[in-house]
Amino acid sequence: RINVYKTYKFLSKLFIVLGSIFTIMGILILIKAIIRGFDMRFPSGDWNFLFMTIQGILFIIMGVGNIIVKKYFIEWDDNEIRFLLPDTKKLETIKIDNINSVSIRLFEIELQLKDNTRILDLSNLEFEDIKKIKEKFEIIKRLKNS
């Protein structure tokens, strides 16, 4: 199985936890500052806590985004290829027997199937993963041409 995006679960969770802490602290201190009178001086006033809240929200968005993109993958076995890619967002399965021909390009693999054509976009993958996928499809291409 090759994940389309390389993310680390630990970092994603760390972003969410730190973002939550920054957001909660920022909101609490902002409420306190508003009650006692917001110091409008910039940059030494109460603006730091507003920026801390915004930073916390951005950290949470980054962490959740990393968890969401972790689900995209390409995998195969001897009989079929399974993939979940960002462009379709649904799990697709292609039986190797249903492939008529394979065209390998720089960041695309075009599969001519018995009933339609499917293009796999590899532009989000790292070089080593693209190399592994192309090697697999090169084997399929040789099998279909022989």
Side-chain angles (χ1 to χ4, degrees):
R1 175 179 261 206
I2 296 175
N3 288 324
V4 174
Y5 297 101
K6 299 291 184 207
T7 60
Y8 299 99
K9 199 171 194 174
F10 170 75
L11 284 178
S12 300
K13 289 181 179 182
L14 181 67
F15 281 148
I16 292 171
V17 169
L18 286 177
S20 299
I21 292 169
F22 289 166
T23 303
I24 292 169
M25 281 179 47
I27 289 172
L28 291 176
I29 296 172
L30 267 176
I31 291 171
K32 186 177 177 183
I34 290 171
I35 290 172
R36 70 171 154 69
F38 193 82
D39 185 0
M40 297 294 280
R41 288 179 293 156
F42 188 77
S44 64
D46 291 325
W47 292 102
N48 293 333
F49 304 114
L50 178 65
F51 294 136
M52 186 170 159
T53 304
I54 294 170
Q55 179 183 10
I57 291 169
L58 291 176
F59 270 40
I60 292 169
I61 291 170
M62 284 176 47
V64 170
N66 282 344
I67 289 173
I68 289 171
V69 299
K70 183 75 172 165
K71 68 181 178 181
Y72 299 118
F73 67 91
I74 299 173
E75 67 181 4
W76 58 82
D77 58 25
D78 293 336
N79 300 320
E80 60 186 19
I81 301 163
R82 291 170 300 283
F83 51 91
L84 177 64
L85 298 175
D87 58 344
T88 59
K89 294 183 176 67
K90 64 179 183 177
L91 180 63
E92 295 185 47
T93 303
I94 298 175
K95 292 196 180 295
I96 293 177
D97 294 340
N98 291 340
I99 299 174
N100 290 336
S101 68
V102 177
S103 175
I104 301 172
R105 297 190 190 100
L106 185 60
F107 291 110
E108 281 185 349
I109 295 179
E110 182 178 331
L111 302 173
Q112 289 290 338
L113 305 173
K114 292 182 179 177
D115 53 350
N116 64 354
T117 301
R118 180 68 175 107
I119 296 175
L120 301 178
D121 182 16
L122 306 177
S123 61
N124 295 323
L125 292 161
E126 293 180 359
F127 174 73
E128 290 299 321
D129 293 335
I130 292 174
K131 187 176 170 183
K132 289 178 194 173
I133 292 170
K134 284 185 175 183
E135 286 172 359
K136 173 62 179 173
F137 281 101
E138 193 64 47
I139 292 169
I140 295 171
K141 183 177 180 178
R142 275 185 265 147
L143 287 174
K144 295 299 175 177
N145 290 338
S146 59

